[in-house]
């Protein structure tokens, strides 16, 4: 099975499942050559299907049957060629502890995403966007988790707008409303979260690497990106800091240069860094390279 790396996770589901009718979606995809820099693109048919327990497969098809191919095509329109050869969306049992989880070729969704009216379908857009942000491109340091979750949160609204054919006024109104709701959520979390858990970038002083000295004894030397800050804090998994702070950073950048230009930047970013591990500096560097006038504004504000 061709698989673009780096992948943040690879998962599988075991059990008795049923499948909705298979869909074939013609969209651009990468022809994996083993060398990311030499990967070519082509128009291929991507196999898409919904998989769930027999008791849920009809409900899954009702909510997501028509949206699966539409959202995939919308994501390709926004971000470029799809990195994989298929897209299976698996509705897992209630014991699944997340709303969704993206893996190469397969997306896991919680049964709580089945509402009967498709109102939670935005989660599908979020997980599909992880094919680019998290799987095709991964953070060099997982302290910078916003490079996956912040991007996916930002892109979910745009993918939804493309798929649902929102008008420009719809986009302004609905994205503005969601930004207000997210701001309320983030503000409440900031008030109740200690400062150390609000970090979105690496703390070089806390990163360590074991090296062997000439005398044969191990010593600890600080190295950037070798330790994920707060990775062992159990409360971190219930927080939305990386999602929302990352989203608002991208939202601010998009408002500064315009959504159309910023969306094109996202596609260029995915193309340039496909198959790579990146840092915040890589994305910021591309942003200032594409929009040099914003660097001047930043310099003026900092003076």
């Amino acid at each position: 099975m061709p698989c673009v790396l780096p992948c943040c996770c690879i998962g599988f589901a075991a059990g008795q499942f049923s499948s909705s009718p298979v869909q074939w979606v013609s969209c651009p995809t990468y022809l994996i050559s083993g060398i990311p820099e030499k990967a070519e693109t082509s128009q291929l048919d991507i196999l898409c299907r919904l998989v769930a327990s027999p008791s849920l497969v009809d409900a899954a098809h009702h909510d997501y049957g028509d949206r699966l191919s539409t959202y995939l095509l919308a994501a390709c329109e926004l971000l470029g060629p799809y990195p994989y050869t298929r897209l299976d969306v698996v509705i897992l049992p209630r014991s699944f502890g997340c709303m969704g989880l993206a893996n190469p070729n397969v997306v896991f969704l919680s049964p709580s995403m089945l509402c009967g009216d498709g109102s939670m379908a935005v989660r599908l857009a979020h997980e599909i966007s992880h094919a680019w942000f998290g799987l095709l491109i991964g953070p060099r340091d997982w302290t910078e988790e916003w490079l996956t979750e912040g991007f996916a949160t930002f892109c979910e609204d745009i993918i939804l707008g493309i798929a649902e054919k929102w008008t420009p006024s719809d986009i302004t109104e609905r994205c503005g409303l969601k930004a207000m709701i997210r701001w309320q959520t983030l503000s409440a979390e900031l008030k109740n979260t200690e400062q150390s858990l609000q970090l979105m970038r690496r703390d070089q002083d806390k990163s360590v690497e074991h090296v062997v000295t000439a005398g044969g004894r191990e010593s600890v030397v600080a190295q950037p990106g070798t330790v994920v800050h707060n990775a062992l804090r159990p409360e971190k998994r219930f927080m939305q800091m990386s999602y929302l702070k990352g989203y608002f950073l991208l939202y601010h950048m998009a408002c500064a240069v315009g959504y159309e230009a910023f969306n094109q930047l996202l596609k260029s970013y995915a193309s340039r860094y496909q198959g790579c591990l990146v840092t915040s500096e890589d994305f910021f560097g591309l942003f200032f390279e594409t929009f040099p006038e914003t660097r001047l504004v930043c310099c003026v504000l900092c003076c």
Side-chain angles (χ1 to χ4, degrees), residues 35-51:
I35 305 174
E37 294 79 4
K38 295 184 178 180
E40 299 176 353
T41 61
S42 178
Q43 198 80 10
L44 294 179
D45 289 335
I46 305 300
L47 185 153
C48 300
R49 62 177 181 168
L50 287 163
V51 180

Side-chain angles (χ1 to χ4, degrees), residues 108-125:
F108 296 154
L109 289 181
S110 165
S112 62
M113 298 297 101
L114 302 178
C115 302
D117 59 1
S119 58
M120 294 301 294
V122 67
R123 192 69 200 186
L124 177 61

